[in-house]
Amino acid sequence: MRAVDWVVLIATLLLIVAYGVWKGRRQPHLEAYLLADRKMRWPTIALSIMATQASAITFLSTPGQAYVDGMRFVQFYLGLPVAMVILSITAVPIFHRLKVFTAYEYLETRFGVGTRTLTAVLFLIQRGLSNGITIYAPAVIVSVILGWNIHATNVIIGALVIIYTTSGGTKAVSWTHVHQLLIALGGMAVALIIAVRSLPVGFADAVRVAGRMGRLNAIDFSFDLTTPYNFWSGMFGGLLVALSYFGTDQSQVQRYLTGASVAESRLGLLFNGMIKVPMQFFILFVGAMVFVFYQFVAPPLFFNSVERARVAGSSEYARLEEAHRSNFLARRTAVLQMIHDPSATRRVRELQREEDATRRAARDLIQRRNPGADVSDANYVFLTFVIQFLPAGVVGLILAAIFCAAMSSTAAGLNSLASTSCVDVLRRLVWRDRSDHDYVRASKWLTVFWGVFSIAFAEFASRLGSLIEAVNKLGSLFYGTILAIFLLAFYTKEISGTAASIGAIIGEAAVLWCAAFTNLAWLWWNVIGCVVGVGAAVMIHVASQARVRMAPYNPADLP
């Protein structure tokens, strides 16, 4: 990196932290600290919701996902707009009417403290681990590409977030989200413009190349339970993920609990529903254009430079490199011909299959030499392009965008973890009837605790494959089960908290079994957890009612 890149990066990060501390100053009461006094307007809510979900993983791994697999990943979000409408009608007015601090606080009014605590604990486990991944993701990639120390990078990201999240609470998180998301999207837009302008062909021809080489395959209507990305998994599994994430995950619920009214919260959710799919399409499209760029400029055989260096001196890797170079030269000629002659598409695809086979052989070689190696190349594609081909200053901007994205999602996670720990565990079960000042102080210390926990987990996170998939897989282990509890709370009147809790435990066991012993695509884990959880709770309720009706007559029961 050049001096101007360092200036842009450091100045951006320090300004974000300073702005968050200043914006969140003077938060003496718990409602102000955790919910920004419920005064937020819908534009801030909408951008905060989007920034919470769009972590550094989104901006680093998603373009790489498109590079290696096309744009199928966008189908993951197809159910999201429908989920936003459902939540705006159901969850938002209920949460506002009860003036809850957390989503799990509502469950006590319906099922009792046991179910509330169980759901809160499930959230704390899932979000605590996910936060570690959101810190680890940019740290591991930046450390590989730039040679930075990964441990120091983890600590720096985590420490910056802890500073302004602890000092400013939810208000600081929400306001910094606005600027962080704009910086991140601006950086991606600049990368796209430079990638397209660097091509020896026009934009229309670039799109034509991406389409004919299978990188614009956004929608797949084939039904396959073992494939994570198709229309059906997106509409059903993706719908349940979105319902659970935006309706029961405190990191998102807390964003719209800050709304000044039901209308403000609804508008924030609905705007997110309108923009999220196009935003993800845009980020994936950046990856598709980077793929086209590398049809004319030779890419490395393996993008992870650290793992590549370990085998670079071997004769086997040298043979693979030679095959890779020969294939690139032939493919570039065929791609240029394909632009004007569609009949050349078949030849291009044959060469691409040969290239894919060479890349798989390189991955296998790396894994044989080092069984613990990270062989998911998708995570390193985009940042390699940025470092090698973007001009001075722009590299710093892109890195600032990536760090801003990491900080925004991490801050929301810490904020929600502290809220849930304080309100649902500490205030409800351990430290009752204390002053608001005591709970604010406890929330700040809990923010620090969860920040340190996330950094610690980031230190041990490795071999996760595609990080954009890893974070969603982790969430899918829990989202369906948690959603089942909330669906029972929202839409049934007779099912008890005991039945709901046991049903949730059975649903979670079913999800873990599917994850460990089947090849069912991970998006369907959400469906399994939800359906089994609801079904088991209903069956338990029916069985208990049958036992009551079948109980023997006892004259002593008469009044």
Side-chain angles (χ1 to χ4, degrees), residues 11 26 36 65 78 83-84 98 163 206 219 239 324 334 387-388 390 418 427 430 449 468 481 509:
R26 294 193 296 272
Q65 186 80 13
L78 292 181
M84 297 303 95
L98 296 176
I163 290 170
I219 302 296
L239 171 63
H324 168 67
I387 298 299
Q388 292 183 351
L390 268 57
R427 191 174 73 166
V430 180
F449 166 78
I468 189 66
T481 302

Side-chain angles (χ1 to χ4, degrees), residues 505-521:
I505 293 170
I506 295 172
E508 188 61 33
V511 170
L512 295 175
W513 184 85
C514 287
F517 300 109
T518 75
N519 63 347
L520 186 70

Side-chain angles (χ1 to χ4, degrees), residues 431-442:
W431 213 27
R432 300 183 181 183
D433 302 321
R434 304 300 291 260
S435 68
D436 246 17
H437 175 73
D438 290 333
Y439 291 128
V440 169
R441 185 175 58 185

